[in-house]
Amino acid sequence: MTGKLRRYHAAVWDEPLIMEQGAPGRRGTVPPAPIEGSGIDDLVPAAMRRRIPPALPEAAEPDVLRHYLHLSQQTMGMLGISLFGTCTMKYNPRVNELLAARDQIAEIHPHQDDSTVQGLLEIVHEFDLMLRELSGMGRFVFQAGGGAAAAYIHACVTRAYHQSRGELAQRREIITTAQAHPCNPATAAAAGFTVITLPVERDGYASVDALRAAVSERTASLMINNPDDMGIYNPHIKEWVDIVHEAGGLCFYDHANFNGVMGRIRAAELGFDACMFMLHKTFGVPKGGGGPAVGAYGCSAELEPFLPGPLVVDTGSGYARKENEAGVGRVREFLGNLPQVVKGYSWLLAMGADGIREAADISVLANNYMESRLLAIPGVTKSFDHLPLRRLEMTRFSLAEFTEQTGVNAVDVQNRMTDFGIDAFWLSHEPWIVPEPFTPEAGEAWSIEDIDYWIDVLEHVLEEGRSDPAMVKSAPHNQVVAQLDGSSLDDPARWATTWRAYQRKNS
C-alpha cells in the first residue's frame, strides 16, 4: 500500500419520508389570494379541477430544507472517490451548471419563435460543427436521451435508408459482437432487425473470418464500439468496415469509449457512416439515471436526409429550426436536452483541441498505471491477460481467482469498499466473458493520490477477505444502510415505489 487508509463513516439520520413530516396548515410560503373579479378561477375548466385536494406534505421551509440536507449528507457524492468504470465519470464543472441555470436557457419555452432563441440555436449549431470536426461526420442531432437512444436512432436511420433503396425486405440483419455495448443489439432488435452476435476470440475481439462468414446480402449494418469494453482496440477495424460496405451494409461506431482516443481517431476516416458520443461520459456533462443524459448522433451526408428533426440550420442571417420531412421522426421531444448540450459545448470550448488530446493521453496513462498496481495484488487478474497489448481507457479485471480461494465475490468486495469512502466499482456488462468482473476507470479527472487511495482500499479489502471473510461478506458497516435482505424484492405485496402504494399495502 502507498498510504494510510482514512477513517470514514457516513452520516446516518433516521429520516422519515417527506410525506410523513409536517402538520396541517404549515406552509413555506403563502401566496396572495386572487383579486376578486380577476377571472383566474375561470382559467381552469371545471371538468379539469380537482374534486379532492392533492395529498401533499404540509411543511415549513426550514423543515423541508433540513430534510433534504439530511438526505444529501447520506449520499456519498463528491465525498467519495469514484473510479466508476465504463462511464468515464468526469468532474462536472460548476460554471457549466451556472450557465445552464441562466434564464436565457432554463426559462425558455420550446415553442418560442426562433428569433427569440437565437443564442441557444447558435450553440446547438456550433456544437454540431465541433463534433463534426472530432468525427468527420456530416451532421449531428441531440434528441437522443442517452447512448442507447442514439443507437436506436441509427437502427431507425438504417431502416429508412434501405427502405429508400428498395432493399429493406432483404436487409434484415445487424451484426455486432459479444463485447459490444448491449444497447447495440437491443436497439437493433427493437427496430425489427435480426441480430447476429460475433463471439470474442483469443485476440480479445471477433476475427475478420467470423465477420466475413456473417456478412451477406442480408446485412443492414454493423454496430460496434472500438475500443470495446475490454479496453482492446481492434486493429482490423478498417478492414471490417470495408467488408460490410462491400456487401452494401452501413457501419455505426459506438463511441461510448471515446475518452482514450479523443483527438486521435475520426470515425469517418475509418470509413464509418455514423457514430454517437455520450455527452454525459466524454464531455463533462452530469449523468443521472436517464434524465440529464444526451447521446449525440452523427452521420454522413448520405444519411442526413433520414435524421430525426427538427434540425438547426444557419440561414445566413441567423439560425432556424427546420423539419426533416424525409426523416425517421422524433425520438424525443423538440431538440433534446439542450441545457446539457450547453454544458458539453462549454466543456469543449474550455478544453480546445490540445486539451482533449492531453486529456486522452492522461486517461490512457492513468489507466495503465492503475493496471500495473492492480495486477500486483494477489487474486486480481485481467481479461485476456495473455495479450501483451497495452489497454486504452477501459480494462475488465476479474476477482475469480480470489473468489475461488476465499468465497468472497466481487459484490462483497464492492460493498466493503464503500466503508472506506469509495464509490462502488462497476461490475461489467459481460460476466459471461469475465467472471467476477470489476471495471475501474481513472479517466483524466482523478489525481495520482486518488487513484492510489482507491487501489489501497481494494488491496486492504482483499487482504481482509482472506483473514476475515465474514467482515467483507456482511458489509457495508459504515454506510447509511446495512446489507439489505433481498428476499422480498420479488414480492409485489411487499415493495412499494409510491407513497400511495405504500399506504395501501401498509394500512
Side-chain angles (χ1 to χ4, degrees):
M1 292 190 189
T2 59
K4 183 179 178 181
L5 300 186
R6 298 192 291 268
R7 290 176 57 200
Y8 170 82
H9 200 297
V12 179
W13 298 95
D14 187 11
E15 190 69 12
L17 299 175
I18 189 64
M19 302 298 293
E20 299 174 293
Q21 299 189 44
R26 289 188 186 169
R27 296 289 184 272
T29 182
V30 179
I35 300 173
E36 190 173 348
S38 62
I40 289 178
D41 289 341
D42 300 328
L43 294 177
V44 179
M48 297 181 64
R49 297 177 193 172
R50 288 182 178 271
R51 295 178 176 84
I52 302 173
L56 298 176
E58 299 180 73
E61 183 174 304
D63 301 328
V64 175
L65 179 61
R66 185 185 303 114
H67 171 68
Y68 286 104
L69 281 174
H70 286 174
L71 294 183
S72 71
Q73 290 167 344
Q74 294 183 113
T75 63
M76 200 172 292
M78 282 301 292
L79 294 173
I81 296 174
S82 174
L83 307 186
F84 193 83
T86 205
C87 291
T88 320
M89 300 300 285
K90 296 175 182 285
Y91 175 69
N92 311 132
R94 297 300 91 188
V95 64
N96 293 346
E97 299 300 318
L98 293 174
L99 291 173
R102 292 174 65 91
D103 289 349
Q104 297 92 329
I105 296 169
E107 298 298 329
I108 66 170
H109 193 283
H111 283 306
Q112 282 183 220
D113 188 86
D114 288 349
S115 63
T116 68
V117 288
Q118 283 294 293
L120 187 56
L121 295 180
E122 182 178 1
I123 287 175
V124 173
H125 178 70
E126 289 195 358
F127 193 51
D128 170 18
L129 296 180
M130 291 176 176
L131 296 190
R132 294 187 207 181
E133 286 295 317
L134 283 173
S135 65
M137 293 296 151
R139 181 180 287 276
F140 275 82
V141 292
F142 306 106
Q143 276 193 21
Y152 184 68
I153 288 179
H154 179 72
C156 294
V157 167
T158 297
R159 192 171 56 197
Y161 170 78
H162 290 305
Q163 187 172 32
S164 73
R165 296 161 60 89
E167 296 183 357
L168 182 59
Q170 165 192 332
R171 297 190 179 276
R172 304 304 305 165
E173 296 176 353
I174 283 183
I175 300 172
T176 187
T177 66
Q179 74 272 40
H181 279 156
C183 68
N184 292 301
T187 55
F193 290 99
T194 299
V195 177
I196 297 178
T197 302
L198 304 182
V200 184
E201 299 183 35
R202 181 170 172 77
D203 288 336
Y205 42 80
S207 66
V208 172
D209 289 340
L211 178 68
R212 287 191 188 278
V215 168
S216 72
E217 69 281 356
R218 298 183 300 274
T219 301
S221 185
L222 172 72
M223 296 178 70
I224 190 172
N225 41 299
N226 192 42
D228 62 30
D229 272 10
M230 305 293 161
I232 298 173
Y233 185 87
N234 184 345
H236 309 296
I237 194 65
K238 289 195 75 171
E239 187 177 358
W240 277 49
V241 171
D242 290 343
I243 290 170
V244 174
H245 280 166
E246 287 168 7
L250 300 174
C251 294
F252 168 71
Y253 201 150
D254 178 339
H255 261 318
N257 300 335
F258 187 62
N259 205 56
V261 295
M262 294 187 298
R264 308 288 182 181
I265 287 175
R266 282 163 45 102
E269 291 171 0
L270 294 173
F272 282 90
D273 306 288
C275 73
M276 72 89 172
F277 298 112
M278 293 187 184
L279 302 194
H280 54 284
K281 286 183 64 171
T282 308
F283 295 94
V285 173
K287 179 175 184 177
V294 175
Y297 176 80
C299 65
S300 65
E302 186 178 13
L303 296 182
E304 185 178 329
F306 309 106
L307 284 173
L311 306 176
V312 175
V313 296
D314 184 353
T315 65
S317 58
Y319 300 92
R321 285 170 282 195
K322 174 188 173 185
E323 288 297 337
N324 201 17
E325 300 300 336
V328 298
R330 299 185 185 185
V331 296
R332 194 176 180 179
E333 64 277 6
F334 305 107
L335 288 170
N337 198 338
L338 294 193
Q340 304 301 81
V341 172
V342 171
K343 296 173 189 177
Y345 172 75
S346 172
W347 184 88
L348 199 49
L349 276 180
M351 296 292 286
D354 292 339
I356 63 169
R357 287 174 66 90
E358 183 179 1
D361 290 346
I362 293 172
S363 295
V364 175
L365 178 63
N367 197 52
N368 280 274
Y369 169 76
M370 183 171 57
E371 178 179 307
S372 67
R373 279 210 60 199
L374 286 171
L375 293 180
I377 301 174
V380 176
T381 60
K382 74 173 181 178
S383 59
F384 300 96
D385 56 3
H386 63 279
L387 298 174
L389 300 172
R390 291 284 187 182
R391 302 297 164 89
L392 291 174
E393 176 66 13
M394 176 183 290
T395 302
R396 294 287 191 225
F397 295 94
S398 174
L399 292 176
E401 183 181 295
F402 172 78
T403 300
E404 185 176 346
Q405 295 168 352
T406 64
V408 176
N409 62 31
V411 175
D412 299 328
V413 172
Q414 185 186 52
N415 289 341
R416 181 58 173 153
M417 287 181 74
T418 66
D419 283 335
F420 298 90
I422 295 294
D423 201 0
F425 50 67
W426 188 265
L427 291 174
S428 174
H429 298 305
E430 296 93 1
W432 52 89
I433 299 175
V434 181
E436 300 299 330
F438 71 102
T439 312
E441 191 173 6
E444 80 274 10
W446 298 100
S447 69
I448 186 70
E449 293 83 8
D450 290 333
I451 297 171
D452 279 334
Y453 184 73
W454 195 97
I455 297 169
D456 287 347
V457 168
L458 175 65
E459 186 174 10
H460 172 82
V461 171
L462 296 189
E463 290 174 357
E464 196 174 50
R466 297 181 190 278
S467 61
D468 188 3
M471 171 67 80
V472 181
K473 291 183 74 67
S474 58
H477 305 287
N478 299 336
Q479 283 296 329
V480 176
V481 294
Q483 194 171 123
L484 296 178
D485 176 9
S487 60
S488 64
L489 292 180
D490 291 330
D491 181 6
R494 294 284 304 279
W495 52 259
T497 56
T498 67
W499 174 245
R500 281 195 290 182
Y502 174 80
Q503 287 182 308
R504 186 172 64 251
K505 295 177 181 181
N506 293 275
S507 60

